Amino acid sequence: MKNIRSILFWSIISAAFIGPGTVTTAAKAGSSFGLDLLWALTFSILGTVVLQEAAARLSIVSGKNIGEILSSGKDRKWGQLILIFLSVAFGCAAYQAGNMLGAVAGLNLFTDVSVRVGTVVIFVIGFSLLWTSNFKLITSLLGAIVAIMGFAFIYTALKSDVSALEFTSKAVIPSFPGDSDLLLIGLIGTTIVPYNIFLGNGIKHGQELRQMRIGLIIAIIIGGIISMSIMVVGTQVSGEFSFVNLAETLRSKGGSFIGSMFGLGLAAAGLSSSITSPLAAAITAKSTFNDSRNLWDEKTIRFKSVWISVMLIGLVMGLSGLKVIPVIIAAQAINGLLLPVIACYLLIIVNRTDLMGAFKNGIWLNLISLFIIGICFFVGTNNIFGALSKIAGDPRINNLVQLKLVIAVIGVAIMAWVIIKKNGAKTLTK
């Protein structure tokens, strides 16, 4: 029973990445490139498990969260500014615009509500739920939303003509089709969500390590299966990709009920992500600036002012008339580029003996973590080279694969050196 409750609790993580961003990015990837980018989801699921487990283990073992640790050193003020800038200004705020626009897009699939009215409705509902500070209610709601979205896509994916052999090979063999850079980094950014690391590290759960690991791993794998199913369904979309065409594909393959569930599920997933993004921003701020006076308690105006600010950013962006799909994909790509920075810092602190004791990372976890960071470096570099290639008008720049690999290897080598320097040579060899 405890394990089931743990899975439901940690579904807040999978629900946070199964939002409009994942639906848009994964389905668009399937529509544009078939299953050629499926391997990126396999990698992202592994990365999410490793990084989220490390973040939750840090909280359980040390009793501290990332913000507290970062803001307690000699460079406290700089650490606080960097953390808030990365996780709030870029991460949560970038996602929020896509979350609210995605929720409205879901509403438009079964109602005639205008974008502006729909944006205000989503804002009011999300604001009301966050104002109550009833986070147990929120986590239960998110678990139900994941189940609704998951059923529609998994059922439809199972009815597609994709063979098991094709699915398996595409899931493990990397490929980099032309013009896929933005979607590739977006798939990673929408799954290994940077702000989710702070969310999983900062929420109170009172679980033991074993219970946490079982619930977290199963919840993330379920979320990963849903993401892969979304990409499979995306391969069946005819014509230009849009939410309307995606809904029609679900309806034609799975029936009218499944098609209707997509509209409701997209709206609900957008709403859920519109809650978790501001909540993660507020939790990050609390963990960074809180002290013994509890001035950043969940019910204080300081805590609420952070999530209100992120909600307002989403509201303004939603009312601005921006196109939903480009905004969502760009938000995922931005967070994909931020990911290596946050992952590097997390890896350093979970290797600290003074914080983790016997529960610090071992050799295998360090090697896997460095592999994940290396891939993130490579994909991020690939994205940057692609942009430079378009700016310069020279496609040869984007074909410098060896240079990209060298940069990724150098990034991993620097990380390994920092870990060894701070924690001793035995860290990576024991």
Side-chain angles (χ1 to χ4, degrees):
M1 193 64 185
K2 285 185 178 180
N3 289 338
I4 294 176
R5 286 199 298 267
S6 180
I7 294 170
L8 290 174
F9 179 86
W10 287 109
S11 65
I12 188 173
I13 300 299
S14 52
F17 72 73
I18 302 296
T22 295
V23 173
T24 303
T25 310
K28 174 67 174 175
S31 174
S32 301
F33 302 104
L35 296 180
D36 287 348
L37 298 181
L38 187 63
W39 68 271
L41 287 178
T42 303
F43 163 76
S44 299
I45 294 165
L46 171 65
T48 304
V49 168
V50 172
L51 296 178
Q52 288 293 161
E53 188 278 337
R57 174 162 42 95
L58 171 68
S59 177
I60 293 173
V61 173
S62 70
K64 297 180 179 180
N65 51 53
I66 297 172
E68 291 172 329
I69 296 167
L70 182 60
S71 62
S72 62
K74 61 181 180 180
D75 299 321
R76 176 178 178 179
K77 290 185 178 180
W78 281 109
Q80 290 174 338
L81 289 174
I82 291 170
L83 183 61
I84 294 300
F85 181 72
L86 286 177
S87 65
V88 178
F90 268 111
C92 297
Y95 271 112
Q96 188 65 8
N99 293 334
M100 296 186 71
L101 287 170
V104 175
L107 287 175
N108 285 336
L109 291 175
F110 59 91
T111 67
D112 293 327
V113 64
S114 68
V115 172
R116 291 187 175 183
V117 172
T119 300
V120 173
V121 169
I122 296 298
F123 174 84
V124 170
I125 295 174
F127 186 98
S128 301
L129 286 172
L130 283 168
W131 188 266
T132 65
S133 298
N134 190 342
F135 302 138
K136 288 185 177 180
L137 171 63
I138 293 173
T139 56
S140 299
L141 174 65
L142 299 184
I145 292 167
V146 169
I148 292 172
M149 285 289 293
F151 175 78
F153 280 104
I154 292 174
Y155 177 79
T156 308
L158 289 173
K159 296 191 69 174
S160 71
D161 24 355
V162 175
S163 68
L165 179 61
E166 180 188 5
F167 182 90
T168 303
S169 63
K170 296 292 187 181
V172 297
I173 301 176
S175 63
F176 299 87
D179 296 325
S180 66
D181 297 349
L182 192 63
L183 283 172
L184 180 58
I185 194 73
L187 287 170
I188 295 174
T190 194
T191 308
I192 319 178
V193 184
Y195 75 69
N196 270 0
I197 295 175
F198 295 103
L199 182 62
N201 176 250
I203 53 180
K204 298 176 181 178
H205 46 76
Q207 297 176 358
E208 298 176 352
L209 276 175
R210 182 178 179 277
Q211 183 184 355
M212 174 274 290
R213 283 170 174 156
I214 292 174
L216 183 65
I217 290 172
I218 293 176
I220 290 172
I221 289 175
I222 292 172
I225 291 172
I226 295 172
S227 297
M228 288 181 163
S229 299
I230 293 171
M231 184 178 290
V232 171
V233 173
T235 65
Q236 312 294 308
V237 174
S238 300
E240 184 179 356
F241 177 80
S242 67
F243 287 130
V244 173
N245 286 342
L246 183 58
E248 185 56 39
T249 299
L250 286 163
R251 190 173 291 110
S252 63
K253 299 289 183 180
S256 58
F257 176 70
I258 295 295
S260 300
M261 282 182 65
F262 169 64
L264 178 62
L266 181 62
L271 173 60
S272 71
S273 296
S274 296
I275 294 169
T276 54
S277 184
L279 178 59
I283 288 174
T284 302
K286 175 186 176 181
S287 68
T288 306
F289 297 108
N290 203 22
D291 55 26
S292 58
R293 294 173 294 174
N294 289 324
L295 297 177
W296 283 82
D297 184 77
E298 284 84 353
K299 296 185 181 297
T300 63
I301 191 61
R302 295 189 182 201
F303 183 87
K304 291 180 176 180
S305 66
V306 176
W307 63 253
I308 289 173
S309 299
V310 176
M311 288 288 294
L312 287 173
I313 289 173
L315 178 64
V316 171
M317 295 288 283
L319 297 176
S320 66
L322 294 173
K323 293 183 178 180
V324 56
I325 291 177
V327 168
I328 290 175
I329 293 176
Q332 316 315 309
I334 289 171
N335 280 276
L337 292 173
L338 291 177
L339 177 61
V341 179
I342 297 171
C344 285
Y345 183 71
L346 176 63
L347 182 57
I348 291 172
I349 58 179
V350 293
N351 274 286
R352 283 176 52 178
T353 305
D354 60 320
L355 286 172
M356 305 300 292
F359 296 98
K360 69 178 183 178
N361 269 20
I363 176 64
W364 288 110
L365 272 177
N366 277 325
L367 289 175
I368 293 172
S369 298
L370 287 171
F371 170 74
I372 292 167
I373 290 172
I375 296 294
C376 289
F377 273 131
F378 178 77
V379 174
T381 304
N382 192 57
N383 201 49
I384 293 171
F385 272 61
L388 291 175
S389 178
K390 291 178 180 178
I391 292 172
D394 188 350
R396 292 176 297 177
I397 295 176
N398 199 34
N399 294 330
L400 299 174
V401 178
Q402 293 85 351
L403 180 57
K404 298 174 189 176
L405 287 172
V406 168
I407 293 173
V409 170
I410 291 174
V412 171
I414 292 173
M415 274 302 304
W417 178 80
V418 170
I419 293 171
I420 292 172
K421 184 176 176 61
K422 287 182 173 292
N423 302 285
K426 292 183 179 179
T427 301
L428 291 176
T429 59
K430 185 175 180 180

